[in-house]
Amino acid sequence: MADHGASGELYSGELIGMLEFVWGEGWLSPGGPEEVATAIKGISFAGKTVLDIGCGVGGVDFLLCETHGARYVTGIDVEDTVLTTARQRAEAKGLSDRCGFVKVWPGPLPFPPESFDIVFSKDAVVHIPDKHSLMRDAFRILKPGGWFVASDWLIGHDGDPSPEMKTYIAAEGLDFGMASPKRYRAALEEAGFRNIGIVNRNGWYRETARQELARMEGPLYGPAVRRLGKEFVDHNIDIWRKMLVVLDTGEHCPTHLRGQRL
Ligand SMILES: C[S@@+](CC[C@H](N)C(=O)[O-])C[C@H]1O[C@@H](n2cnc3c(N)ncnc32)[C@H](O)[C@@H]1O
């Protein structure tokens, strides 16, 4: 199981530190600005109000404002450590008037109907097991014409995960509630979304994760151990090795998702 750190939260200060070593400041998920640009391609954020589900430490929200021109991004998350960090960084960047960070509890999204132009998420819906309720809720809070657009970590099939996938998920120690592309499509369709897009990013991440592991074992290792301790860094290297097994089989499939409320 993951070390949840002194805070008792899943995304502890220690885990945030480790993930930012690998993925860069502001990022608790892979790919950075380039991967976001690929996920949102063809959907304009300029002048839009955006909800970001599972905002983490806010890197993606700053990007959506500064690079993609979003008018206002509301980032929501269930954990205090990430939210406090996101608020401090928004302040430091002078973006507090364009990025707000709100604590929520698992369950219905606490916003009135037709509140947002875009509902966005990067690699956080994996933590929300009931995809059908979430998609219904996303549809409800979107204005007509608005988009749900996300990347997320999916499992390639319905039914029981393989032993290798179970080993990987257990090593992560996070509350992963992974679902198949088929289940996401059904959830999007039943919620009423149209123009649905589901794009498997396994090929990209299989290669990228290999490079991440090489950096963790190479140039990042010393600095990360000095900051976070050998045991914690070695544990994360072990997670990456287990993840590569299920990326190589295609069972772990990071995916881009989108659907429009007409
Ligand atoms: C892998 S991190 C991604 C963070 C950020 N989107 C990024 O790309 O850097 C997943 C985030 O989802 C948050 N999370 C977990 N369950 C959630 C829920 N039910 N509602 C909102 N956020 C949640 C976690 O606390 C964590 O910050």
Side-chain angles (χ1 to χ4, degrees), residues 108-126:
L109 299 168
F111 302 99
E114 302 188 14
S115 297
F116 298 96
D117 297 310
I118 294 175
V119 174
F120 173 88
S121 181
K122 181 152 176 20
D123 305 339
V125 173
V126 63

Side-chain angles (χ1 to χ4, degrees), residues 32-102:
E34 217 177 304
E35 184 58 7
V36 173
T38 306
I40 68 173
K41 196 165 186 218
I43 298 175
S44 172
F45 277 60
K48 302 284 171 60
T49 54
V50 180
L51 177 70
D52 176 20
I53 301 172
C55 58
V57 292
V60 72
D61 307 305
F62 308 142
L63 179 85
L64 292 177
C65 284
E66 290 183 310
T67 304
H68 297 284
R71 177 152 60 85
Y72 193 88
V73 180
T74 304
I76 58 170
D77 208 289
V78 292
E79 296 205 347
D80 290 313
T81 306
V82 289
L83 285 166
T84 302
T85 308
R87 287 184 196 117
Q88 284 165 352
R89 290 182 182 176
E91 190 72 39
K93 282 173 165 288
L95 281 174
S96 297
D97 57 340
R98 291 178 66 195
C99 293
F101 297 98
V102 178

Side-chain angles (χ1 to χ4, degrees), residues 127-142:
H127 293 293
I128 302 174
D130 187 345
K131 314 301 177 199
H132 282 75
S133 296
L134 179 70
M135 297 311 172
R136 274 198 299 274
D137 223 10
F139 190 88
R140 177 183 66 79
I141 63 174
L142 272 172

